């Protein structure tokens, strides 16, 4: 076994900055794709892997979800001095790390380089999610690379796109994805607890109409999840649950559909170039608009415009 990387970071410091902790124990820089740690107890980072490695994590500072985006030929997981797992790991598989365990990983990838996405779920976030379910903080199950979860696999790539959108000034997808991932993990992999049904969160039925007004007043404006939640008088995770229960879609999807409707009006009613339509409706580029337009309308923006302008004989 190769020599593990040592760390001298104090436990209290690790709890304050899990990404810094991971960088110290792995000896590799991690790109903070989403950093809501100080605000809500959630962070997501990607670590670049370029060969065999040994990570001595020590006592995990918080609950973590690690998703490998590459095949691992051999992965040895040692917890509290005992071998927990020794075998292959397929790309897209994940592990839920439980805090309070001394963890060491010895891995040999099947590729020359790859990415490992790590989600950090702190007490603040797990407590907030638990409150929306009418109970105490969520405690996650122990999982070690043997469960297939298509949503988490898809989210691993989507979260990179979301962080790019946030960097360009549109934070709703990044924020919502953070909470949606945490909700999914807590709903599917929470340790069962005794209790009643999930509480019926108070929700102003006029809220969807307000969101439409916000988008129409400035289609390119950044509308954050935190802002919507504050206006509704709910926590972000509570707002996502209540909004989806009321409308059938997430806040981000709802706003995307409204922006696409505005884009459709501009395409059929003006001669603006598609690239300008994209920027006017809050998309980072013509390509970004095209991908979203096809996903929602079923055809490209250019085809939409052609069909609306085609003469009828």
């Amino acid at each position: 076994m190769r020599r593990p990387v040592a760390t001298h970071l104090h436990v209290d410091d690790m709890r304050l900055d899990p990404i810094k902790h991971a960088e110290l124990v792995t000896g590799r820089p991690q790109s903070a794709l989403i950093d809501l740690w100080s605000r809500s107890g959630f962070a997501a980072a990607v670590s670049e892997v370029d060969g065999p490695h040994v990570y001595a994590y020590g006592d995990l500072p918080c609950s973590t979800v690690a998703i490998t985006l590459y095949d691992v030929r051999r992965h040895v997981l040692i917890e509290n001095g005992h071998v927990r797992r020794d075998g292959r790991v397929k790309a897209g598989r994940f592990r839920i790390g439980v805090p309070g365990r001394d963890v060491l990983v010895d891995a040999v990838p099947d590729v020359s380089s790859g990415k490992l996405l790590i989600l950090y779920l702190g007490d603040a976030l797990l407590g907030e999610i638990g409150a929306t379910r009418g109970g105490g903080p969520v405690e996650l199950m122990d999982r070690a690379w043997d469960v297939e979860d298509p949503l988490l696999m898809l989210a691993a790539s989507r979260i990179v796109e979301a962080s790019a959108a946030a960097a360009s000034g549109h934070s709703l997808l990044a924020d919502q994805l953070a909470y949606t991932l945490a909700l999914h993990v807590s709903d599917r992999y929470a340790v069962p607890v005794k209790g009643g049904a999930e509480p019926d969160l108070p929700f102003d039925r006029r809220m969807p109409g307000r969101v439409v007004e916000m988008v129409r007043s400035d289609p390119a404006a950044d509308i954050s999840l935190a802002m919507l939640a504050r206006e509704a008088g709910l926590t972000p995770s509570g707002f996502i649950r209540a909004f989806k229960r009321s409308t059938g879609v997430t806040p981000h999807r709802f706003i995307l559909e409204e922006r696409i409707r505005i884009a459709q009006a501009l395409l059929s009613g003006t001669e603006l170039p598609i690239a300008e339509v994209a920027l006017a409706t809050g998309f980072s580029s013509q390509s970004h608009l095209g991908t979203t337009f096809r996903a929602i309308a079923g055809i490209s923006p250019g085809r939409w415009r052609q069909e609306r302008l085609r003469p009828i004989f």
Side-chain angles (χ1 to χ4, degrees):
M1 181 178 289
R2 292 165 296 280
R3 186 177 179 180
V5 180
T7 177
H8 305 287
L9 189 62
H10 191 271
V11 171
D12 289 341
D13 295 329
M14 291 190 296
R15 295 187 185 282
L16 291 176
D17 193 340
I19 294 178
K20 184 177 181 181
H21 164 240
E23 288 184 338
L24 287 177
V25 299
T26 63
R28 300 169 185 269
Q30 292 204 2
S31 301
L33 301 182
I34 296 177
D35 190 356
L36 306 174
W37 188 255
S38 61
R39 175 152 56 92
S40 60
F42 181 91
V46 64
S47 179
E48 299 284 346
V49 175
D50 56 7
H53 52 272
V54 177
Y55 295 158
Y57 284 97
D59 183 1
L60 291 180
C62 63
S63 295
T64 62
V65 181
I67 308 168
T68 180
L69 302 182
Y70 59 93
D71 289 329
V72 182
R73 185 183 311 159
R74 185 181 182 192
H75 187 287
V76 182
L77 171 63
I78 300 175
E79 293 183 341
N80 296 335
H82 300 284
V83 176
R84 166 76 185 279
R85 187 184 190 281
D86 184 350
R88 294 184 62 87
V89 177
K90 293 182 179 179
R93 297 295 175 91
F94 70 97
R95 172 178 178 264
I96 296 178
V98 178
R101 296 183 184 178
D102 187 83
V103 175
L104 187 145
V105 169
D106 183 5
V108 180
D110 245 349
V111 295
S112 59
S113 65
K115 297 179 186 294
L116 178 72
L117 181 70
I118 306 178
L119 314 177
Y120 302 93
L121 284 68
D123 292 341
L125 182 61
L126 294 177
E128 176 191 314
I129 293 172
T132 67
R133 299 169 62 182
V138 172
E139 180 182 353
L140 298 180
M141 295 177 180
D142 189 354
R143 291 291 183 266
W145 305 108
D146 296 314
V147 178
E148 188 171 1
D149 189 323
L151 178 58
L152 282 183
M153 184 175 179
L154 176 62
S157 57
R158 288 289 289 139
I159 204 168
V160 177
E161 298 174 18
S163 64
S168 66
H170 299 283
S171 63
L172 179 63
L173 177 55
D175 281 7
Q176 180 182 292
L177 183 55
Y179 283 98
T180 301
L181 281 173
L183 287 170
H184 172 74
V185 171
S186 65
D187 284 345
R188 187 164 182 177
Y189 304 107
V191 175
V193 295
K194 295 180 180 179
E198 181 178 309
D200 186 14
L201 298 172
F203 186 70
D204 187 344
R205 301 298 176 182
R206 296 171 294 179
M207 195 64 201
R210 291 181 196 169
V211 174
V212 169
E213 291 175 4
M214 290 181 194
V215 177
R216 290 181 178 176
S217 65
D218 187 355
D222 182 26
I223 301 174
S224 72
L225 180 61
M227 178 180 68
L228 295 176
R230 280 196 304 271
E231 183 161 343
L234 296 169
T235 64
S237 58
F239 179 78
I240 290 176
R241 286 185 185 277
F243 194 93
K244 187 172 183 179
R245 186 179 296 148
S246 175
T247 65
V249 295
T250 63
H252 176 252
R253 176 74 183 199
F254 187 87
I255 289 175
L256 275 186
E257 291 178 353
E258 184 59 31
R259 283 181 168 147
I260 290 300
R261 279 191 283 271
I262 296 171
Q264 289 172 338
L266 291 174
L267 289 168
S268 60
T270 74
E271 296 182 355
L272 281 174
I274 296 177
E276 292 185 24
V277 171
L279 297 178
T281 50
F283 295 92
S284 60
S285 64
Q286 180 172 335
S287 175
H288 185 198
L289 170 64
T291 299
T292 308
F293 200 100
R294 281 188 291 272
I296 292 176
I299 59 175
S300 69
R303 181 70 180 273
W304 170 276
R305 170 171 271 174
Q306 290 175 358
E307 291 188 353
R308 266 68 192 167
L309 298 179
R310 183 182 302 162
I312 301 176
F313 298 98

